[in-house]
Amino acid sequence: MIAPLLAAVEELFLGRPPERLGVAVSGGGDSIALLCVLAQFAKNHKIELHVITIDHGLRPETKDEITLVTDLCATWDLPHHVEYWTGWEGAGNLQAAAREARYALMADWAYGNQITHVALGHTADDQAETFLMRLARGAGVDGLSSMQSRRVQHGITWVRPFLRVERSALRTFLRASRVDWSEDPSNENRDFERVRVRDALTVLGTLGVQTDTLVDVAENMSRAREALDWQTFLSARDSATLSHGAVAIDLRKFRMLPAEISRRLLVHAITWIAQNDYPPRRDAVAQALGAVRASRGATLAGCQIIVEKNVIWVIRELITLTDVACEVGDVWDDRWLITGPEDDPDFEVRALGLKGVGQIENWRELGVPRAALAVTPAVWYDGRIVAAPVAQPDPEWVAELDGGQDAFFAALLSH
């Protein structure tokens, strides 16, 4: 029964598996099945397999689940690491906070062990459940797109070999292999949306809407998203440029774009400038689009949008940079790296600011709005400007965008 599951893993790596592979195992049936399959896969390909479990400190049953994973790893002589999350302060969305913390902890662990790929046990059922939850929220093409079998985040490649495998098939495999797993009692708690969605899937199944049907639809949405991303990339290449760290878009060409492409282009500019992981809310974007098309400015998600001389400028909002500072040689505002002839610890990299722009001779000749120059990095010492390499090029001081000038365009195709 392991053969089709091994084939799913083989297909994901296309015969080129990494030397070290990590796998996240909670003790539940999905991740235990993944561990069993990857143990054999690693043996076949002489891969170092490392196992990590995250203890969120939220359920008393977790201790027994960790013991189960530890014992199973000992059977195969696999290194097992447990990471503990203690960051929950009781405010906000617990599940979202736990998820983000989980990925960050696993990424740090992977870095420390020189692991480039980490496998996750998401299944076809997870795909279908996520699709329905997002459908209930009125999601668009992106939201309804399937989870990816391979994605780079936090500098780690996350792989999901079982996105086409149903949960019941993994349980059948485990029973046949005589391997135990733990059932999370929260899976029966109907206070959780995902549990209620599982109930709904049972009802939908009587109408012919099966898990594999929803997985197919989600994959269709993914292909549609890829097409839209490609068209947005082409439109960006035609209408947008990077100037002094800002995104400049030709207003006339922008107005000619289909509504969805112009929306995607503006959202991408905002998220790239602000280095946000998630796009702003759709209604807020709609308001900003309306303002731009009417040649008015707007502020959104830490960015300022300026329309000037038939150019849309998307820049950082200056107020968000008030307390953003670092030393020379560090990355400033998650975007800029400044290097120079000195790295005096008393030097500080901060925003140039409006007053700082006023100290730059002939700044108007750059053809860039004053507000755009104000949010570029400058080196300060004791209240005076040492260098402002973006607004005033200096042969000794260099300011470079993380990823280079083409990073903005490349990010459009990096889903």
Side-chain angles (χ1 to χ4, degrees):
M1 295 190 67
I2 196 174
L5 302 179
L6 274 173
V9 177
E10 294 280 1
E11 182 180 357
L12 184 62
F13 288 111
L14 299 175
R16 300 178 65 181
E19 293 181 3
R20 291 185 182 88
L21 176 62
V23 56
V25 183
S26 65
D30 300 343
S31 62
I32 290 290
L34 179 61
L35 174 59
C36 293
V37 174
L38 289 183
Q40 184 62 53
F41 178 76
K43 182 179 180 180
N44 294 346
H45 293 273
K46 297 181 180 179
I47 298 169
E48 280 188 30
L49 183 62
H50 295 251
V51 184
I52 183 170
T53 302
I54 306 297
D55 182 356
H56 297 95
L58 301 173
R59 296 185 298 107
E61 301 86 0
T62 302
K63 182 178 179 180
D64 292 335
E65 294 164 1
I66 292 173
T67 299
L68 173 67
V69 178
T70 300
D71 291 344
L72 196 55
C73 289
T75 300
W76 289 314
D77 196 25
L78 298 175
H80 178 218
H81 177 72
V82 181
E83 194 69 49
Y84 297 90
W85 180 48
T86 58
W88 176 241
E89 298 177 353
N93 186 317
L94 171 59
Q95 289 187 325
R99 181 176 59 251
E100 290 190 12
R102 183 163 61 250
Y103 277 96
L105 289 170
M106 289 191 295
D108 288 343
W109 164 78
Y111 273 124
N113 289 276
Q114 298 180 308
I115 296 168
T116 56
H117 294 66
V118 176
L120 307 171
H122 295 111
T123 66
D125 299 81
D126 293 309
Q127 289 270 45
E129 292 159 10
T130 301
F131 179 89
L132 285 181
M133 288 190 293
R134 291 178 176 176
L135 182 64
R137 298 182 191 124
V141 170
D142 287 6
L144 296 177
S145 296
S146 61
M147 285 187 279
Q148 296 170 295
S149 59
R150 178 187 293 265
R151 180 176 182 177
V152 177
Q153 188 178 19
H154 298 297
I156 301 298
T157 301
W158 308 91
V159 294
R160 301 179 175 95
F162 292 164
L163 288 180
R164 268 288 179 180
V165 181
E166 293 192 22
R167 191 173 292 131
S168 59
L170 295 180
R171 300 302 190 275
T172 300
F173 161 68
L174 288 174
R175 292 188 190 98
S177 303
R178 297 182 180 180
V179 175
D180 292 330
W181 71 92
S182 296
E183 288 292 356
D184 184 347
S186 66
N187 288 333
E188 301 299 325
N189 186 348
R190 281 160 181 77
D191 289 338
F192 291 107
E193 180 187 17
R194 189 172 289 273
V195 176
R196 297 195 299 273
V197 166
R198 288 172 187 169
D199 292 341
L201 275 169
T202 301
V203 176
L204 288 172
T206 65
L207 302 175
V209 182
Q210 306 289 343
T211 294
D212 58 351
T213 304
L214 295 177
V215 170
D216 286 341
V217 174
E219 290 185 353
N220 290 339
M221 288 294 185
S222 289
R223 286 189 284 272
R225 182 187 63 187
E226 290 172 3
L228 289 169
D229 285 345
W230 178 248
Q231 187 58 53
T232 305
F233 170 79
L234 295 177
S235 298
R237 280 296 191 187
D238 178 60
S239 62
T241 57
L242 255 64
S243 178
H244 299 77
V247 176
I249 306 171
D250 185 293
L251 178 60
R252 294 188 182 92
K253 291 182 178 180
F254 185 82
R255 285 173 170 164
M256 295 292 291
L257 295 174
E260 177 61 14
I261 301 302
S262 62
R263 185 192 71 81
R264 284 172 172 270
L265 178 53
L266 185 64
V267 167
H268 178 65
I270 291 167
T271 53
W272 187 80
I273 288 288
Q275 293 294 291
N276 291 331
D277 291 330
Y278 300 102
R281 293 185 178 277
R282 183 173 285 266
D283 55 350
V285 173
Q287 292 179 13
L289 279 167
V292 168
R293 292 184 180 279
S295 297
R296 300 194 309 271
T299 57
L300 180 62
C303 289
Q304 182 178 1
I305 304 169
I306 301 170
V307 181
E308 186 177 286
K309 297 180 180 179
N310 286 315
V311 177
I312 305 164
W313 294 88
V314 182
I315 65 174
R316 241 352 203 130
E317 193 176 3
L318 182 57
I319 194 172
T320 65
L321 302 176
T322 302
D323 299 319
V324 178
C326 71
E327 295 182 5
V328 172
D330 292 339
V331 177
W332 179 76
D333 193 29
D334 294 327
R335 300 179 64 219
W336 291 100
L337 176 64
I338 289 190
T339 55
E342 300 179 64
D343 57 359
D344 189 321
D346 291 328
F347 285 176
E348 191 175 49
V349 180
R350 292 189 283 110
L352 179 59
L354 294 172
K355 290 184 179 179
V357 175
Q359 298 179 42
I360 304 296
E361 293 184 7
N362 304 320
W363 67 265
R364 290 179 177 83
E365 296 178 6
L366 297 174
V368 181
R370 183 177 183 178
L373 294 176
V375 295
T376 59
V379 181
W380 293 81
Y381 173 73
D382 196 24
R384 64 180 180 85
I385 298 174
V386 176
V390 179
Q392 190 174 48
D394 186 314
E396 294 188 321
W397 290 91
V398 178
E400 297 178 309
L401 282 169
D402 186 27
Q405 292 285 330
D406 283 339
F408 168 74
F409 300 99
L412 280 162
L413 301 177
S414 63
H415 285 296

